[in-house]
Amino acid sequence: MKKTVIVDTFSIGGFHEMFNTSFLYVILNSSTSPLLYIADKSAINAIVKLLKEDQEFQGLSNRITFKPKNLPKGNSFYAIFFRYLFGTFLNIFYLLKFKSSRIVFPALNPVFAVFLKIILRMLETEVYVVCHGELGYLFSTYRITSPLYWYSSFLKPFFRGTLPKNLKLIILGPSIVQNFTRHYPNLTGNIVTMHHPYIFNESLPKVNKRGVMTRFGWVGVATQAKGFKIFDEISHYFSEKYPEQFSAHLIGWHNFETDEYPWIKFASGPNVFLDRNEFDKEVGILDYILFFYDNRHYQFTASGAIFDAIQQDKFIIALRNDYFESVFNACGPIGFLCDSKEEIYEVVEQVMRGEVDLKQFSVNLKAARYIFGAQQMKMNL
């Protein structure tokens, strides 16, 4: 029986902890082989913490061996580039050491990609690589001084031409596959499609307060590129129009000076990652979650934040993008997808006036937790 080896030489602390944990679950569901998980000690601790109270996982845990490593820390562009570089050497080492096993990389290291294609021309090792937002680097332009310029430069030759048959790209959703293969039709045979997995904790208290105050929130990393300006404008407008009924919250990492936005309730100060329990608690008080992602950013990457909303039965109001449309197509509407900023204003206004029917949204949220739940998800290995 071929052993499966997961090699994560990038994640530290709580980075992508929910995806990493959910993906581990999917691998366990998809194969009966023993599994070796190699990652930074802090990333392993985050995974174990999420799984320790999951009863279904307990029956699978005896097949896993965790092997902690110490990776370079830091979240600056240059610290990340160094971690990619350091991880490249580790990835090559493990690729050669476990060449008789099935090897899975939970993220595509742009620096390692340069060598991976070459090595797999000579090896028959079965390799799977999860593609996240890295695919977006292929279709964007950057200044030469930006590390993203170099990531893009490393990845373009990797995807050019053909890939070895023993290398599979795991792409998280049909809309991303469709957009990607439009540009790279020659790689269709290398693609494994799966929905973005998520571990839905049904014991997590769902707090839906339909009282005088209606709470709208931003969930996840907040940046100007992800539409914070629109969130700020909407929050300011409706806070003044409905001072006793409208409340705006930002729950997630940000680098904004909170005093400059008195109409927004920040769950944390700038540059702070909330503990998972605190994060869930803050999301729990919301009624609606707002998303302003530009479709250019979500043609080639999935959004974990939408699953945080599904986890806690929160309705969504979002600018339409390909990925959110694919989620709605899978489970039915779980809120509103809007074609413009003005339409979002109209929807929020309708909500504030009590003019929306939420019954079908609630039914579809239950369907979503089944469709995207890691506990029953498998992929073809």
Side-chain angles (χ1 to χ4, degrees), residues 154-287:
F154 294 144
L155 287 175
K156 285 178 179 177
F158 173 77
F159 288 105
R160 190 177 301 131
T162 61
L163 291 173
K165 292 182 179 179
N166 51 324
L167 173 59
K168 301 297 182 183
L169 306 175
I170 301 173
I171 297 184
L172 304 175
S175 69
I176 302 173
V177 171
Q178 182 179 7
N179 289 329
F180 178 73
T181 54
R182 188 178 298 127
H183 297 273
Y184 294 94
N186 53 310
L187 301 182
T188 300
N190 295 92
I191 292 174
V192 175
T193 308
M194 61 177 284
H195 287 302
H196 185 300
Y198 194 101
I199 297 176
F200 294 104
N201 182 359
E202 294 302 329
S203 65
L204 188 70
K206 309 296 191 301
V207 183
N208 288 296
K209 297 182 178 180
R210 301 286 180 252
V212 174
M213 183 69 71
T214 304
R215 296 173 174 83
F216 297 79
W218 176 301
V219 172
V221 174
T223 64
Q224 294 293 357
K226 288 190 173 186
F228 175 78
K229 182 179 179 181
I230 304 175
F231 177 67
D232 173 41
E233 291 172 353
I234 288 177
S235 300
H236 193 185
Y237 175 82
F238 284 102
S239 292
E240 290 190 338
K241 186 170 184 178
Y242 297 99
E244 303 300 324
Q245 293 85 34
F246 178 93
S247 181
H249 302 252
L250 192 151
I251 304 164
W253 184 94
H254 65 90
N255 61 356
F256 305 112
E257 293 299 326
T258 58
D259 292 344
E260 296 179 9
Y261 308 94
W263 43 87
I264 298 175
K265 295 178 174 62
F266 289 83
S268 65
N271 303 306
V272 173
F273 284 98
L274 287 170
D275 172 83
R276 190 76 203 182
N277 291 334
E278 185 64 25
F279 178 85
D280 287 338
K281 180 181 176 182
E282 293 288 338
V283 174
I285 69 171
L286 300 177
D287 298 297

Side-chain angles (χ1 to χ4, degrees), residues 88-132:
T88 295
F89 291 107
L90 286 179
N91 288 350
I92 293 172
F93 171 76
Y94 288 124
L95 182 58
L96 298 176
K97 180 177 180 179
F98 296 108
K99 61 184 179 181
S100 298
S101 302
R102 175 192 297 116
I103 300 179
V104 181
F105 296 99
L108 177 57
N109 178 333
V111 182
F112 175 53
V114 175
F115 302 95
L116 177 61
K117 188 174 181 178
I118 298 171
I119 293 172
L120 289 185
R121 297 289 188 195
M122 299 179 285
L123 296 180
E124 296 182 356
T125 307
E126 187 180 351
V127 174
Y128 295 79
V129 181
V130 180
C131 298
H132 292 281

